[in-house]
Amino acid sequence: QEDSDPAVHESLSIENTLWASTVVASGTVIGVVIYTGKETRSVMNTSNPKNKVGLLDLELNQLTKALFLALVALSVVMVTLQGFVGPWYRNLFRFLLLFSYIIPISLRVNLDMGKAAYGWMIMKDENIPGTVVRTSTIPEELGRLVYLLTDKTGTLTQNEMIFKRLHLGTVSYGTDTMDEIQSHIINSYSQVHSQNSGNSTSSTPSRKPQSSAPKVRKSVSSRIHEAVKAIALCHNVTPVYESRAGVSGETEYAEVDQDFSDENRTYQASSPDEVALVQWTESVGLTLVNRDLTSMQLKTPGGHILTYYILQIFPFTSESKRMGIIVRDESSGEITFYMKGADVAMSTIVQYNDWLEEECGNMAREGLRTLVVAKKSLTEEQYQDFESRYNQAKLSIHDRNLKVAAVVESLEREMELLCLTGVEDQLQADVRPTLEMLRNAGIKIWMLTGDKLETATCIAKSSHLVSRNQDIHIFRPVVTRGEAHLELNAFRRKHDCALVISGDSLEVCLKYYEHEFVELACQCPAVVCCRCSPTQKAHIVKLLQHHTGKRTCAIGDGGNDVSMIQAADCGIGIEGKEGKQASLAADFSITQFKHIGRLLMVHGRNSYKRSAALGQFVMHRGLIISTMQAVFSSVFYFASVPLYQGFLMVGYATIYTMFPVFSLVLDQDVKPEMALLYPELYKDLTKGRSLSFKTFLIWVLISIYQGGILMYGALLLFESEFVHVVAISFTALILTELLMVALTIRTWHWLMVVAEFLSLGCYVASLAFLNEYFGIGRVSFGAFLDVAFITTVTFLWKVSAITVVSCLPLYILKYLKRKFSPPSYSKLTS
């Protein structure tokens, strides 16, 4: 910079910030590092994700605690019956070790392997392609959900905007009348160019009547012209040209060549709404062809290029709910301030009119997202005055944001209302049947969205989240405690109606009447919360967990849903237009909303039922052998002598019974098609009856009965050759376990059959090779097993007899139970 030039003062803002990993191509930069570590926006927005633990795991933990108490109690009883002789505490510890099989240590391993298997099955399911399981701890949670909290945009809808309506106050244009707009635009621009060719200095026709007599009502044609031009200029969209294949050498030439060809132009913007608006102006003839930091170029239907210089831009923020831009027309030098935004923000800015509010409501009821477009012409002096005040405000050190906003607001007065636009966001495929299915499955659906009340209500109706004939109670905006009280009372008087409430009213209700509000809301078949902030979404999830104790699931697609997904018991992310933040933070990520039906009804249901069966079976496996040990010790004067050698105990839990027991993860009670056809089956699971203290006690009784029969049977039938007790009881035990697996299975799979026979084969082989292990405690009895004995008929019939007595009654009971009180799924399969 030369010494003679005046110094330029510029404020530091987002515009002149160098972000991390920026590469400076030329020149030097003097920089200050402003935000690091914990102060960066991304870190401040993240909460520490909690470790999610499934409800099934918690229930199994409770049962394991009960088993531990049983272990201690049993050991104490044994020592007491012994009469506390000798070093009784040493005996107590020996008994604790002998009965330690009561504690199902292999349960954790089996369950975790099971969860891995469920995850693999979900990812391999061809009906829900692209599904990723990002957690290995909570697949069973998918089978226990009661509340589903869903986002709207991008989750229930596609987040693909289509321009549907342009309203000018007196005329409204829909999709079928867009060609009229196009002809108006073509006419007005052809007039401009015919005039311009005759007289180069004249301005556009739409301004002529205004300058001579401002009160004259403008023609429809000129109003359409103004509106379309405003929509084409007021945005933050950049046209991008994909370089065409085949042009590789001269890039300079290629750029000039491809500049305005329509085929390879795409638009980039931060919101799909803006892209929809610009694509629409292109369809009616006014095309955005180029944009850089200082200018924009539009192409008219006649192929002429109009250049506009960008003087200022005021970006959209969620607080202001509007965006503005000041442009200077290159040909006429006129300065215009365009603005577009939500009706809430714009209604006070535009000149008085009688149609804006009503039409906004009408469009919202059709499910359209509305934007109000306005403009204001500025003289050169007005703009210079504004610019000096604006720059001054930007340089202030204290309250800069407030001062800047105040200066901009001085412009935002008495603006001329040009038009109202309506953009539609279409529902995703099969949203209606999916929501219907979830509702039939007893899942209550809450929609939490940042959209306005009317749009949210409309989408709730069109997606059948709220059924057609259902009443809707729209919670009036409340600010004070008294208003909240009145409104709650009004709501309490209604029965079975859906609730629609805005985020602000929700805050007030939760502040004063948290308990009453949640209680009432939980009785609703559907709840819609609109204008919700991300933290509010997470807060609602936590409220439901805290007040109802039921399992919640959150589903969303954008960064604003991450906190809700992490707070829920089970988070599902959808890979949508808004990037992958949600799907990466979630426990499960899917590609479309409709996949959630199969994920819950089929995979969630199966995972829960299988894990419950597996958990109880593993406990049964430990209990039965501990019962046998207890019977054995009682018969032998409460001696703390192990029944089986260590190797047999290790083999029992692993090689002999591992495969059949683990094959329970392939079991299913109904076919997937049935589970989807009758979502009511899912409702039963939420009661948690597959794994409860009741079922646990039944399994304990089965274990005690079988353990007692196996041991007493072996002792009764073998009084003469006592050394063979071990071989016989252990063989009967293995057979009983294999038969019990067969009894538990509901639908056979070829791998289950393989597992059963494989285990049996392993056992028979080890009987032949490992015979020294089948003697009773070699030290005390010094007996070894002879192979000849195993092959005798006596051995075989006695083992068979014991096994039949231990298993047959259970088969009979199961048959009777299925006959007289069949479970709900068997009614469908029969």
Side-chain angles (χ1 to χ4, degrees):
Q1 196 174 319
E2 297 297 314
D3 294 342
S4 56
D5 287 356
V8 178
H9 294 290
E10 222 181 293
S11 65
L12 286 176
S13 67
I14 291 286
E15 299 304 316
N16 39 28
T17 306
L18 291 180
W19 299 108
S21 351
T22 306
V23 176
V24 179
S26 63
T28 53
V29 174
I30 299 169
V32 179
V33 178
I34 41 180
Y35 295 120
T36 58
K38 290 184 178 174
E39 293 173 347
T40 54
R41 178 69 64 89
S42 60
V43 176
M44 283 159 72
N45 267 336
T46 54
S47 52
N48 289 334
K50 58 177 186 177
N51 264 345
K52 295 187 183 180
V53 179
L55 187 57
L56 186 96
D57 291 347
L58 298 172
E59 289 169 346
L60 285 169
N61 284 351
Q62 297 296 337
L63 299 183
T64 312
K65 287 173 192 166
L67 288 173
F68 174 72
L69 293 174
L71 164 69
V72 176
L74 187 58
S75 306
V76 171
V77 167
M78 282 294 186
V79 175
T80 313
L81 290 172
Q82 237 182 9
F84 291 107
V85 272
W88 62 270
Y89 48 87
R90 191 185 301 163
N91 287 340
L92 177 68
F93 276 102
R94 288 186 69 164
F95 278 124
L96 281 172
L97 289 173
L98 284 179
F99 296 139
S100 64
Y101 288 91
I102 291 181
I103 305 283
I105 292 173
S106 58
L107 178 62
R108 272 263 59 95
V109 182
N110 277 303
L111 270 184
D112 287 346
M113 282 165 57
K115 289 172 201 255
Y118 308 141
W120 184 80
M121 287 173 202
I122 291 172
M123 295 211 264
K124 282 278 169 283
D125 189 344
E126 278 143 24
N127 294 299
I128 45 173
T131 304
V132 183
V133 178
R134 299 186 192 278
T135 174
S136 59
T137 51
I138 55 169
E140 301 91 2
E141 286 294 270
L142 292 170
R144 309 287 296 276
L145 303 174
V146 180
Y147 290 98
L148 176 73
L149 299 105
T150 166
D151 177 36
K152 180 179 79 70
T153 312
T155 305
L156 297 179
T157 61
Q158 296 174 8
N159 207 5
E160 281 182 10
M161 309 294 172
I162 299 163
F163 192 94
K164 285 282 181 182
R165 180 147 309 169
L166 180 75
H167 204 294
L168 299 169
T170 49
V171 241
S172 170
Y173 292 96
T175 34
D176 43 357
T177 47
M178 292 297 178
D179 47 348
E180 283 185 41
I181 299 183
Q182 196 167 359
S183 57
H184 279 307
I185 293 290
I186 292 170
N187 290 343
S188 61
Y189 273 109
S190 57
Q191 283 176 335
V192 175
H193 290 299
S194 59
Q195 281 183 341
N196 278 3
S197 53
N199 170 15
S200 58
T201 55
S202 96
S203 72
T204 54
S206 58
R207 294 230 173 68
K208 278 209 147 168
Q210 214 180 351
S211 53
S212 55
K215 291 284 175 278
V216 176
R217 282 201 79 161
K218 293 195 257 174
S219 68
V220 169
S221 183
S222 68
R223 283 167 60 204
I224 288 177
H225 175 113
E226 278 300 310
V228 174
K229 188 165 83 176
I231 296 170
L233 288 172
C234 182
H235 53 69
N236 236 325
V237 181
T238 311
V240 178
Y241 295 92
E242 304 297 330
S243 59
R244 274 175 303 184
V247 184
S248 53
E250 308 151 74
T251 47
E252 292 292 318
Y253 168 72
E255 276 194 14
V256 172
D257 174 47
Q258 74 184 10
D259 216 347
F260 304 132
S261 63
D262 294 341
E263 301 81 56
N264 43 26
R265 180 191 310 110
T266 53
Y267 295 112
Q268 283 190 351
S270 55
S271 87
D273 302 54
E274 293 210 308
V275 176
L277 293 174
V278 175
Q279 280 171 340
W280 175 76
T281 62
E282 179 182 356
S283 72
V284 294
L286 199 57
T287 310
L288 173 71
V289 287
N290 201 357
R291 176 178 186 140
D292 53 34
L293 282 173
T294 55
S295 68
M296 252 188 281
Q297 287 177 320
L298 302 181
K299 186 168 74 170
T300 65
H304 297 275
I305 300 293
L306 308 173
T307 304
Y308 291 88
Y309 296 116
I310 302 172
L311 303 178
Q312 298 288 350
I313 200 159
F314 313 112
F316 177 90
T317 66
S318 50
E319 287 81 43
S320 69
K321 298 186 176 56
R322 55 187 184 269
M323 76 144 302
I325 188 168
I326 302 180
V327 292
R328 184 200 298 267
D329 186 341
E330 183 196 37
S331 56
S332 64
E334 288 186 345
I335 298 173
T336 318
F337 173 38
Y338 289 109
M339 188 153 214
K340 70 164 192 258
D343 53 307
V344 194
M346 298 293 287
S347 55
T348 54
I349 291 171
V350 296
Q351 292 170 346
Y352 173 76
N353 61 75
D354 50 10
W355 58 273
L356 179 62
E357 197 172 323
E358 186 186 342
E359 288 306 328
C360 274
N362 291 343
M363 282 196 195
R365 277 187 282 281
E366 287 175 41
L368 302 179
R369 297 160 72 107
T370 52
L371 278 176
V372 182
V373 184
K375 74 163 210 182
K376 186 178 195 176
S377 297
L378 302 175
T379 61
E380 190 67 47
E381 296 75 45
Q382 278 174 320
Y383 176 69
Q384 293 301 340
D385 170 51
F386 164 77
E387 194 182 34
S388 63
R389 285 186 297 129
Y390 186 63
N391 288 341
Q392 200 63 43
K394 284 206 304 194
L395 289 175
S396 61
I397 295 169
H398 302 295
D399 302 332
R400 180 188 302 176
N401 289 351
L402 288 172
K403 287 178 183 169
V404 169
V407 174
V408 177
E409 265 170 35
S410 68
L411 269 192
E412 297 171 352
R413 293 201 186 126
E414 290 297 298
M415 292 185 75
E416 181 188 340
L417 173 58
L418 296 176
C419 65
L420 179 62
T421 65
V423 175
E424 183 185 44
D425 188 0
Q426 290 181 310
L427 284 177
Q428 277 197 25
D430 292 338
V431 160
R432 292 188 187 116
T434 305
L435 289 174
E436 195 75 23
M437 182 200 295
L438 294 173
R439 201 184 295 106
N440 290 340
I443 295 175
K444 293 186 177 172
I445 303 163
W446 289 39
M447 182 166 92
L448 313 178
T449 172
D451 254 5
K452 53 191 283 191
L453 193 127
E454 293 83 358
T455 318
T457 312
C458 174
I459 294 285
K461 280 181 188 162
S462 64
S463 67
H464 293 190
L465 172 70
V466 176
S467 49
R468 288 263 170 242
N469 48 9
Q470 201 159 52
D471 287 342
I472 294 184
H473 177 80
I474 295 180
F475 214 85
R476 281 207 313 276
V478 296
V479 184
T480 63
R481 182 171 183 162
E483 287 173 355
H485 184 67
L486 286 171
E487 197 55 28
L488 270 176
N489 283 345
F491 176 45
R492 191 179 276 119
R493 283 195 285 275
K494 294 192 180 176
H495 290 291
D496 194 49
C497 72
L499 169 68
V500 178
I501 185 168
S502 71
D504 307 340
S505 309
L506 185 71
E507 279 296 277
V508 178
C509 290
L510 293 180
K511 187 173 169 189
Y512 299 115
Y513 300 107
E514 183 179 295
H515 190 72
E516 293 92 323
F517 177 77
V518 177
E519 208 168 286
L520 284 173
C522 287
Q523 290 164 7
C524 292
V527 178
V528 177
C529 300
C530 48
R531 293 281 184 229
C532 270
S533 65
T535 38
Q536 237 174 351
K537 289 182 179 183
H539 184 51
I540 293 169
V541 174
K542 288 181 185 136
L543 267 180
L544 280 177
Q545 289 169 338
H546 175 65
H547 279 274
T548 63
K550 300 276 195 291
R551 298 278 115 178
T552 56
C553 170
I555 176 167
D557 72 319
N560 58 342
D561 304 315
V562 170
S563 48
M564 151 171 103
I565 285 172
Q566 287 181 341
D569 296 302
C570 172
I572 300 177
I574 294 183
E575 289 184 19
K577 298 266 179 306
E578 294 186 32
K580 290 200 171 185
Q581 283 160 299
S583 74
L584 289 173
D587 306 307
F588 302 90
S589 75
I590 55 181
T591 50
Q592 283 177 295
F593 183 80
K594 65 176 179 185
H595 291 169
I596 193 176
R598 191 176 176 90
L599 192 64
L600 302 188
M601 300 302 124
V602 178
H603 294 289
R605 189 167 179 282
N606 283 346
S607 301
Y608 169 57
K609 295 208 90 157
R610 289 163 174 174
S611 279
L614 184 67
Q616 291 176 332
F617 212 93
V618 173
M619 289 178 179
H620 155 78
R621 192 170 68 181
L623 277 166
I624 193 170
I625 204 157
S626 299
T627 308
M628 292 173 74
Q629 175 69 54
V631 172
F632 176 77
S633 290
S634 336
V635 171
F636 287 100
Y637 313 106
F638 309 109
S640 46
V641 177
L643 171 57
Y644 299 127
Q645 291 293 315
F647 176 82
L648 289 188
M649 297 302 280
V650 171
Y652 170 67
T654 53
I655 195 159
Y656 300 146
T657 58
M658 167 76 197
F659 299 112
V661 171
F662 187 66
S663 71
L664 287 171
V665 301
L666 298 167
D667 187 24
Q668 56 179 22
D669 51 0
V670 290
K671 289 200 160 53
E673 297 70 44
M674 278 296 195
L676 288 167
L677 192 58
Y678 298 104
E680 290 78 6
L681 286 173
Y682 186 89
K683 226 181 228 175
D684 292 348
L685 304 189
T686 49
K687 298 169 186 156
R689 287 184 181 156
S690 300
L691 176 73
S692 59
F693 268 103
K694 182 184 162 189
T695 58
F696 170 65
L697 285 172
I698 292 170
W699 275 102
V700 170
L701 293 173
I702 291 174
S703 309
I704 293 172
Y705 165 74
Q706 289 188 327
I709 290 289
L710 290 172
M711 204 61 232
Y712 272 121
L715 292 170
L716 281 175
L717 294 179
F718 286 90
E719 295 204 338
S720 53
E721 56 259 294
F722 199 68
V723 283
H724 300 140
V725 166
V726 169
I728 287 155
S729 61
F730 198 77
T731 310
L733 171 66
I734 298 293
L735 288 174
T736 299
E737 280 294 306
L738 299 182
L739 285 170
M740 283 300 289
V741 170
L743 177 72
T744 311
I745 285 169
R746 289 164 292 215
T747 311
W748 284 88
H749 185 285
W750 64 271
L751 276 170
M752 296 173 172
V753 184
V754 170
E756 292 266 324
F757 284 109
L758 183 72
S759 298
L760 194 56
C762 285
Y763 178 65
V764 171
S766 62
L767 261 183
F769 294 115
L770 305 168
N771 47 18
E772 75 264 24
Y773 283 107
F774 286 89
I776 301 184
R778 284 164 296 170
V779 189
S780 51
F781 292 87
F784 283 103
L785 181 72
D786 48 340
V787 180
F789 170 69
I790 303 171
T791 50
T792 58
V793 181
T794 23
F795 173 77
L796 293 175
W797 83 255
K798 291 184 171 180
V799 166
S800 312
I802 296 173
T803 312
V804 166
V805 175
S806 78
C807 289
L808 195 63
L810 297 173
Y811 269 89
I812 295 168
L813 282 172
K814 181 173 182 177
Y815 173 76
L816 291 173
K817 183 170 186 288
R818 280 193 76 126
K819 195 159 175 57
F820 294 115
S821 83
S824 49
Y825 65 83
S826 64
K827 295 171 191 165
L828 299 175
T829 48
S830 53

